């Protein structure tokens, strides 16, 4: 007796979908934390972020908000003002040049265990006809200054449109909202709060594929 065509198609479709799901689970990428755990960094030097966005304030905005999540994660973070002044006294004021300094030299000058290399890839507001979106995207690498080994890397983004921006006033309401948002965003740095959200997402410890807790945290060694 022959099996009807439709049940056979459903049977094979289910089987293929199950195999694809299992394959996806088996190949899901995960970070290797072995070097990170072996290095046991306790202090972090945050370098001025390289800015790939057109807004000149992007680097300072992200840098000003990078130390808090690191401190809350249990690390000692070298004071940003002290670090900036030290670089300035040595003729280094451009982030790209600072990132080129050898890890061993940074360790010699600052005595930190690791350095955080930041890069801002998006920062600012994109205007459209009936809406605007403010987006900040940041990438990071944590490098052991004693050996030059990369311990961790990650990226995160934040947008003021994540919760949706539905207008109950139809097209006219959307146009008015877009006009108000454009005026507000032009008068203020609307991306700065989003930089805080993106930076916290990137550097908060205990998240999937995120930083490990530092030795000053009660959760140290538990993730």
């Amino acid at each position: 007796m022959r099996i009807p065509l439709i049940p056979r198609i459903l049977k094979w479709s289910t089987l293929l979908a199950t195999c694809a799901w299992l394959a996806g689970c088996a190949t899901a990428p995960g970070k290797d934390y072995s070097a990170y755990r072996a290095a046991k960094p306790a202090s972090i030097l945050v370098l001025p972020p390289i800015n790939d966005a057109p807004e000149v304030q992007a680097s300072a905005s992200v840098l000003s908000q990078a130390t808090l999540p690191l401190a809350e994660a249990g690390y000692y973070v070298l004071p940003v003002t002290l670090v900036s002044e030290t670089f300035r006294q040595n003729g280094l004021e451009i982030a790209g040049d600072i990132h080129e300094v050898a890890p061993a030299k940074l360790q010699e000058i600052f005595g930190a265990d690791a350095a955080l290399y930041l890069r801002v890839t998006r920062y600012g507001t994109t205007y459209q006809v009936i809406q605007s979106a403010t987006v900040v995207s940041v990438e990071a690498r944590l490098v052991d200054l004693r050996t030059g080994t990369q311990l961790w890397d990650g990226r995160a983004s934040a947008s003021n449109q994540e919760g949706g921006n539905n207008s109950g006033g139809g097209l006219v309401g959307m146009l008015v909202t877009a006009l108000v948002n454009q005026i507000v965003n032009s008068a203020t740095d609307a991306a700065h709060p989003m930089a805080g959200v993106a930076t916290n997402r990137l550097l908060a410890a205990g998240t999937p594929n995120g930083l490990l807790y530092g030795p000053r945290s009660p959760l140290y060694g538990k993730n």
Side-chain angles (χ1 to χ4, degrees):
M1 186 175 91
R2 300 184 62 184
I3 301 175
L5 180 59
I6 293 178
R8 278 191 294 165
I9 293 174
L10 293 175
K11 177 183 177 182
W12 284 108
S13 297
T14 303
L15 180 61
L16 290 173
T18 302
C19 291
W21 179 80
L22 291 173
C25 292
T27 58
K31 289 189 181 297
D32 180 4
Y33 285 93
S34 56
Y36 195 158
R37 291 191 173 96
K40 298 180 179 180
S43 55
I44 295 179
L45 166 68
V46 181
L47 300 181
I50 291 178
N51 181 22
D52 292 335
E55 289 75 11
V56 295
Q57 71 272 25
S59 180
S61 177
V62 170
L63 179 61
S64 69
Q65 302 182 81
T67 58
L68 180 58
L70 292 175
E72 291 180 339
Y75 296 97
Y76 171 73
V77 185
L78 274 70
V80 170
T81 303
L82 173 63
V83 171
S84 298
E85 181 62 20
T86 302
F87 281 129
R88 193 184 69 81
Q89 292 291 338
N90 286 274
L92 293 171
E93 299 186 60
I94 300 175
D97 295 338
I98 293 173
H99 283 221
E100 293 297 322
V101 178
K105 189 64 176 179
L106 293 175
Q107 206 281 330
E108 177 187 340
I109 296 173
F110 296 101
D113 297 328
L116 187 72
Y117 294 75
L118 295 167
R119 179 182 292 269
V120 183
T121 56
R122 292 188 67 184
Y123 187 99
T125 302
T126 301
Y127 299 103
Q128 300 174 354
V129 177
I130 57 175
Q131 66 177 358
S132 62
T134 301
V135 181
V136 176
S137 299
V138 187
E139 298 176 353
R141 295 186 301 117
L142 186 68
V143 175
D144 189 336
L145 294 181
R146 298 160 295 190
T147 64
T149 303
Q150 179 170 305
L151 305 178
W152 171 87
D153 70 284
R155 57 179 52 87
S157 297
S159 169
N160 65 346
Q161 294 296 312
E162 291 175 8
N165 189 26
N166 297 324
S167 174
L171 180 59
V172 175
M174 295 173 69
L175 289 171
V176 172
T177 300
L179 177 60
V180 172
N181 287 340
Q182 182 170 354
I183 294 172
V184 172
N185 294 337
S186 299
T188 63
D189 183 4
H192 184 69
M194 292 300 101
V197 176
T199 304
N200 188 69
R201 288 175 179 173
L202 177 63
L203 303 178
T207 60
N209 293 327
L211 288 169
L212 300 179
Y213 287 103
R216 294 169 178 258
S217 170
L219 297 175
Y220 178 58
K222 296 181 180 180
N223 66 334

